[in-house]
Amino acid sequence: MSTTVSGKSGTWRNWAGNVTARPVREVTPASVEELSAAIRAAADDGLTVKAVGTGHSFTAAAATDGVLIRPQLLTGIRALDREAGTVTVEAGTPLKRLNLALAREGLSLTNMGDIMEQTVSGATSTGTHGTGRDSASIAAQIKGLELVTADGSVLTCSEKENPEVFAAARVGMGALGVVTAITFSVEPLFLLTAREEPMTFDRVTAEFDELFTENEHFEFYWFPHTGNCNTKRNNRSAGPERPVGRLGGWIEDEFLSNGVFQVANLLGRAAPAAIPAIAKISSRALSARTYTDIPYKVFTSPRRVRFVEMEYAVAREALVDTLRELKAMVDRSPLRVSFPVEVRTAPADDITLSTASGRESAYIAVHMFRGTPYQAYFTAAERIFTAHEGRPHWGKVHTRDAEYFSRVYPRFGEFTALRDRLDPDRRFANDYLRRVLGS
């Protein structure tokens, strides 16, 4: 079996740099059989096991002081069934590779988040989502999955096979086992027309219901310390393709959204008092534009400026009130926030611990530039979100625990009972799971 150790010290770090772990050993299995053997060997040594993707979670969901499983050899497409409209991929496949491979085959996922660096299993296990009126998170597009459980056995799950495991393991946070393959629902490649346009905070909040209803995918960013927002509407299009021009795309997506934004954040970190003035300039930097392209080129964008993030899902009808409370809090506080607040939506789904489980949802994400103290801002924001029975994204910073989740997730007990059955010895436990699921 091939074994690798990351970094000279064997320390694992997440993308944002806010979580570190020192596993006893790291294993890079090249097959499901090798993975099963690694889990059995860990049990023999009395060690816990966690699989880690690309570290895009801001929580310690993947951290372990036991055996760290790296899935980079478990990648690629296992099967493509055009008739059934499904693709089965190995768990370690990065979303960007899946998107490219599907596009070459003339296929696409229906919806996706705006970052595609994550592995398919990491993204789905934490409930990663984009925005959609009718189309839900990446996990909601799963038709089947393969899971290696605590005793090393392999479970195949779908609506027909092990349905209770399927209901939970699509967003399982690694608590039920290690996902080794995922079958996604796919459809013929289509075009999306994106319309990006600045709008005032007052107008977006006043017209939110209309903007949501009239667009397949609506999202917006509000710039704290200003009354300005940037909106994005994505809708299916008959074409023709009109991608963003190379120069225009570089200016907007690289130079302004990454390069200038990085400088503005560095400046704000050095001189917080300047942040409101910088925000007013930043919020006006991006101009209106419309373009038409294949889905992943519209849904996703590069994120090179590193940050720490908290995101909560509230009931969709509570969004405007929640957001207005957040703005009022920032306006009257001494906080200086250089990152925009992102707002997206999702329809209700049937996944046990999905943030949209049984509830039409809206997401509010707050960010802070990496290296800037974020606790005061996140604590104040979290107080507002939890007052609206918000559900935090499993992969983003939050302070909630099992007692809270048992109140905001009607099916929470269903998940913990399944965990008791599949992992009675807590082979897949870590501090984060003990906090959010109980011991």
Side-chain angles (χ1 to χ4, degrees), residues 117-134:
E117 303 302 318
Q118 311 101 312
T119 60
V120 292
S121 59
T124 53
S125 294
T126 52
T128 297
H129 60 91
T131 190
R133 181 189 60 204
D134 314 304

Side-chain angles (χ1 to χ4, degrees), residues 139-339:
Q141 297 168 66
I142 295 177
K143 286 286 176 221
L145 57 83
E146 181 182 84
L147 186 74
V148 179
T149 57
D151 60 3
S153 58
V154 182
L155 269 190
T156 313
C157 316
S158 66
E159 280 174 0
K160 294 188 177 69
E161 208 175 347
N162 298 304
E164 73 297 346
V165 180
F166 180 67
R170 283 174 286 170
V171 179
M173 292 174 280
L176 305 174
V178 178
V179 175
T180 45
I182 297 176
T183 300
F184 289 104
S185 179
V186 290
E187 59 173 303
L189 198 61
F190 54 94
L191 291 173
L192 284 170
T193 292
R195 183 172 155 204
E196 297 174 10
E197 148 182 41
M199 212 176 269
T200 65
F201 180 90
D202 291 341
R203 186 182 156 197
V204 175
T205 48
E207 297 177 15
F208 174 72
D209 283 340
E210 282 159 64
L211 290 160
F212 165 79
T213 306
E214 289 166 8
N215 295 284
E216 290 171 66
H217 308 273
F218 175 67
E219 65 186 299
F220 66 94
Y221 296 85
W222 162 59
F223 292 82
H225 313 297
T226 79
N228 304 329
C229 294
N230 264 335
T231 63
K232 186 173 180 181
R233 289 169 255 199
N234 298 332
N235 290 289
R236 294 198 181 211
S237 162
E241 263 183 66
R242 281 206 181 86
V244 175
R246 190 169 284 178
L247 179 64
W250 180 81
I251 289 170
E252 295 261 336
D253 301 324
E254 281 300 337
F255 181 66
L256 291 175
S257 297
N258 283 304
V260 173
F261 190 52
Q262 171 90 5
V263 173
N265 274 282
L266 287 166
L267 193 63
R269 189 166 74 186
I275 285 175
I278 295 168
K280 285 184 174 63
I281 299 164
S282 293
S283 68
R284 295 203 177 99
L286 298 169
S287 48
R289 62 176 180 173
T290 302
Y291 52 95
T292 302
D293 214 328
I294 59 173
Y296 83 85
K297 293 185 179 177
V298 174
F299 283 134
T300 69
S301 45
R303 290 273 180 270
R304 303 194 209 290
V305 182
R306 300 212 177 199
F307 52 85
V308 178
E309 181 178 357
M310 167 185 279
E311 181 183 65
Y312 267 75
V314 295
R316 191 172 61 77
E317 58 271 21
L319 169 75
V320 173
D321 285 348
T322 311
L323 198 59
R324 284 178 178 150
E325 286 169 37
L326 184 70
K327 184 176 188 297
M329 181 275 289
V330 171
D331 287 348
R332 66 170 182 261
S333 78
L335 293 167
R336 293 293 173 256
V337 181
S338 63
F339 245 89

Side-chain angles (χ1 to χ4, degrees), residues 16 53 62 89 98 104 113 192 299 330 336-338 354 363 373 407 428:
V89 277
L98 173 62
R104 277 203 297 270
L192 284 170
F299 283 134
V330 171
R336 293 293 173 256
V337 181
S338 63
S354 159
Y363 295 91
R407 293 202 310 271
F428 303 113

Side-chain angles (χ1 to χ4, degrees), residues 385-398:
F385 300 151
T386 54
H388 289 278
E389 298 196 332
R391 298 169 178 172
H393 188 301
W394 297 111
K396 295 175 187 178
V397 176
H398 68 88

